[in-house]
Amino acid sequence: MKTLFIGGIKSGKSRLAEAFILEQAATEKPYYLATTEFFDDEMQARIQIHQQRRQDLFVTLEEPVKLFEAVQKCRGPVLIECVSMWLNNQLYHQIPEEDILQELDTVLQLTGNMVLVHNEVGLSIVADNRLARQFVDLSGKAAQLMGQHCDQVYFCSAGLKMKMK
């Protein structure tokens, strides 16, 4: 089963997704695929909060770019935290959009339990620079792809989840 948790930044989606996969996994320790590359102290602080919260409840893998390769290594339920940061990394490394979406589609074709976390960034104004618009557009395309492939989709806001699918 594939499940998507989507919402704004600081909406509670990561915490909700972690609790969800832990409940679904029951006695099996799930994988936590961390995709964030950190470039500054503020991002490192955010990463540390996530690390402290998950403690030793997960088998943690860190892979900011090669999503398919990393997910293939997981021999149980996997939480991908987060697709948005993976997209950001792909753009940073100048991977073509077509290749990015193809890799995500390939990941979504894999069997097994998978929980994906994604930022909803398309509810705001149109950005004033090309790279930001490219990210928002790519993020929206990725969200549609995940929504299509996932069995369940939850929209998160204010620390709550609302089932969409």
Side-chain angles (χ1 to χ4, degrees):
M1 180 168 63
K2 291 175 185 57
T3 305
L4 172 63
F5 282 80
I6 188 168
I9 295 167
K10 296 297 179 194
S11 63
K13 65 192 171 305
S14 297
R15 181 182 50 78
L16 291 164
E18 290 166 7
F20 181 86
I21 197 165
L22 286 169
E23 184 179 312
Q24 298 298 310
T27 60
E28 192 174 11
K29 192 182 249 191
Y31 288 82
Y32 190 109
L33 178 51
T35 63
T36 302
E37 286 184 297
F38 67 91
F39 297 105
D40 58 34
D41 292 340
E42 187 269 337
M43 190 57 86
Q44 177 59 36
R46 286 175 180 252
I47 291 169
Q48 286 176 339
I49 290 168
H50 283 255
Q51 290 171 335
Q52 290 168 355
R53 190 173 60 225
R54 69 180 178 253
Q55 298 171 17
D56 65 345
L57 300 172
F58 295 88
V59 176
T60 301
L61 299 175
E62 295 180 5
E63 176 49 59
V65 179
K66 298 175 183 174
L67 189 65
F68 179 72
E69 220 174 88
V71 173
Q72 276 193 306
K73 294 177 185 174
C74 300
R75 299 292 173 229
V78 59
L79 170 64
I80 300 173
E81 183 22 340
C82 83
V83 174
S84 303
M85 289 307 298
W86 176 74
L87 294 173
N88 177 73
N89 300 339
Q90 297 293 297
L91 290 176
Y92 177 80
H93 292 288
Q94 301 180 339
I95 307 299
E97 182 178 301
E98 183 178 311
D99 294 348
I100 297 168
L101 293 171
Q102 179 59 53
E103 182 169 356
L104 179 59
D105 187 60
T106 303
V107 167
L108 292 166
Q109 300 293 331
L110 295 171
T111 59
N113 290 331
M114 184 181 303
V115 175
L116 303 108
V117 176
H118 188 59
N119 290 321
E120 174 53 77
V121 296
L123 297 174
S124 186
I125 61 171
V126 176
D128 66 351
N129 70 78
R130 187 174 98 46
L131 182 58
R133 287 190 302 273
Q134 182 184 12
F135 175 76
V136 170
D137 289 351
L138 177 59
S139 181
K141 291 174 186 177
Q144 290 181 49
L145 186 61
M146 289 182 286
Q148 180 182 29
H149 284 279
C150 286
D151 305 293
Q152 296 180 90
V153 177
Y154 292 97
F155 183 80
C156 304
S157 182
L160 303 170
K161 64 182 181 185
M162 178 177 60
K163 190 168 189 174
M164 298 174 65
K165 178 180 177 186

